[in-house]
Amino acid sequence: MSDAVRLVLDVSEREHGERLDRLIAARVTGVSRSFAQTLMKSGDVLVNGQPAKPAHRVRAGDQIVVMLPPVEPPEELEPVYLPIPVLYEDEDIIVFDKPAGVVTHPAPGHEQDTLVNALKAIRPDLRLRPSDRPGIVHRLDKDTSGLIVVAKHEDARLSLLKQWQGRSVVKRYLALVHGVVEPDEGTVDAPISRDPRDRKRMAVVPGGRPAVTHFRVRERFRCATLLELTLVTGRTHQIRVHMAFIGHPVVGDEVYGRRGFVVPVPRQFLHATYLKFMLPSTGKAIELETPLPHDLQEVLDGLRAREDRTLSGAGTGPR
């Protein structure tokens, strides 16, 4: 049996006033707010040595101790049926249109309801073990929706890994960001590494790993801009970090973004909309695309309706 994991988190000035459960979910990889709340109920979260409730507002300088229970991975992944559409499949790969809220592979607090658990359910013949991160070549954050490719065997995984590492894969995202982005297109070329002030976050850091993001404006609003982004590299949280770095953080991003928006936002507005790569067996190029999911489309519709009302009330014509 593995030992429990003890994590110590120091609250920064930036996090002053944040809800305790939200802070833990943002700082501890793989731990959701609901799992954080469960830990608090069992007394496994202490703030300055004292138990605290999920809604507790932390202060800069507080020390938080989180005790994560030991996790013994089963010999085989448990199959779990989840509503995750399959957009493409052959003998080598399967491409999912991942909804927001689904974790890619098992982690503390998310041992079962993951993408690979769903893969085990729909393809029970595949031999999948939790510790192997089976077939995973690239990842999407839990709250990012869109296209993700999973290899069904090792040769396919190695073929895909070579393409991802060689930067021959075309990866495009849609993101709604705060503020009006002035240039119609541009590039953010800024190295990314762990934030030296907060190791649970990423940041633009001199001497970090090279990171390049191209962007193109799709639509402008009075307070936000819809961007199409193409990743040249694939660093952790790359789009979210780069957009915050240029002063236009992703709307709904609770880690790198701003609080509040003019219309309700259910989660971070980031969607992996397009992939182009070579099929492992044939070498033939394949292009896949998926539109914005309903929750993000509703945000755009709300913005457009709000701006139409504003323009109508001001007595001005269309922009």
Side-chain angles (χ1 to χ4, degrees), residues 231-243:
L231 294 187
V232 178
T233 52
R235 307 304 177 208
T236 301
H237 300 173
Q238 179 171 319
I239 289 175
R240 299 162 62 192
V241 171
H242 271 175
M243 293 301 99

Side-chain angles (χ1 to χ4, degrees), residues 181 188 215 227 241-249:
V181 178
V188 183
F215 66 84
L227 296 178
V241 171
H242 271 175
M243 293 301 99
F245 177 68
I246 65 172
H248 297 285

